[in-house]
Amino acid sequence: MGDESQPTSGGSDSEGDQPIVRVVDLSKTYHTDASEPIYACRNIDFEMREREIVALTGPSGSGKSTLLHLIGALDTPDSGVIEVAGEPVTGIKGRRLAEYRRRVGFVFQRFHLLPTLTAADNVIAPLLPYKTSFDRRAKAKQILDAVGLAGREGSLPSKLSGGQQQRVAIARALINDPMLVLADEPTGNLDSQTGEDIMELLFGLRERVGASLIIATHDPGLAARCDRVIQIRDGRVIKDTTRPATG
């Protein structure tokens, strides 16, 4: 069984390699018309290794999505430090920010596919502002084939099932060969069998592209398969459990 530990205890493996993600004293507060502020993240500390798969769990509103958005530089913290692959994320702007986002893949619960674009064009969309050294369409086809959508490159999202749309979203996240994949409730809108298929795809990313994954989820089955489970409540890490090694 896993043991409760300090939030940073899972950060370094036995070989002492540099953590892929390092978060120190991270805080984010939202102020609304209500009298009480919303503390989305409060003094969060944790690290994760390369190729590690970490689940973020906790009730709705606990701060899981906010933490993902902060690590992905989709939002900015009020205080604290985020480092990814040894480079600071907090405070970066302009070209450096764009370059960082190119190295992070996002998978969201609601897919966020553009309805007028085909599956292949949705996968290619993140590349449009940039020059690439490879054939974009050929790579999109290759990735769509890898996620089980061979022959559906020309299909619009409206002609795809929910599970197929999520596969397109995963392919889109992989088009830039990300070092880190952030997935926010990736199985939340799917039936149990389709959710299981998506789980297999996500866990296969470590072997296929060497990615590290952080997955925010309410699904206990998905969380149980991750290397670590970090439980968040009211913006705080309350428990950080590492799954025992097997084999």
Side-chain angles (χ1 to χ4, degrees), residues 3-185:
D3 297 322
E4 183 170 350
S5 61
Q6 293 300 317
T8 56
S9 64
S12 299
D13 66 12
S14 58
E15 297 177 359
D17 60 343
Q18 177 177 273
I20 186 70
V21 176
R22 178 172 175 262
V23 172
V24 180
D25 201 22
L26 193 69
S27 294
K28 178 69 177 183
T29 303
Y30 295 103
H31 298 276
T32 67
D33 293 336
S35 58
E36 293 295 325
I38 299 172
Y39 297 102
C41 291
R42 294 200 272 187
N43 309 111
I44 288 181
D45 297 282
F46 85 94
E47 295 180 354
M48 64 180 288
R49 306 185 305 270
E50 284 191 54
R51 297 171 62 88
E52 191 172 23
I53 302 177
V54 174
L56 303 179
T57 66
S60 296
S62 61
K64 304 186 301 296
S65 294
T66 297
L67 182 55
L68 284 186
H69 290 175
L70 293 173
I71 293 172
L74 298 179
D75 201 353
T76 55
D78 298 328
S79 60
V81 173
I82 303 169
E83 293 179 356
V84 176
E87 297 294 327
V89 174
T90 40
I92 62 173
K93 298 178 182 178
R95 185 173 181 177
R96 287 184 62 208
L97 176 58
E99 287 296 321
Y100 170 69
R101 286 177 176 164
R102 288 184 67 187
R103 303 187 66 199
V104 177
F106 296 93
V107 181
F108 299 103
Q109 181 178 1
R110 289 184 169 84
F111 317 142
H112 295 301
L113 301 181
L114 297 172
T116 60
L117 298 185
T118 65
D121 287 335
N122 266 288
V123 173
I124 292 168
L127 301 176
L128 293 179
Y130 310 106
K131 293 181 179 180
T132 59
S133 60
F134 53 85
D135 184 320
R136 302 177 184 192
R137 196 155 296 276
K139 186 168 183 179
K141 182 183 184 305
Q142 178 186 22
I143 298 174
L144 286 168
D145 288 354
V147 300
L149 289 178
R152 302 305 301 270
E153 300 91 346
S155 298
L156 294 172
S158 61
K159 302 299 183 181
L160 300 173
S161 69
Q164 289 171 329
Q165 290 183 56
Q166 188 63 295
R167 289 168 186 264
V168 174
I170 292 172
R172 179 184 58 195
L174 296 180
I175 193 68
N176 276 321
D177 298 321
M179 59 182 172
L180 177 65
V181 174
L182 306 175
D184 194 357
E185 298 289 355

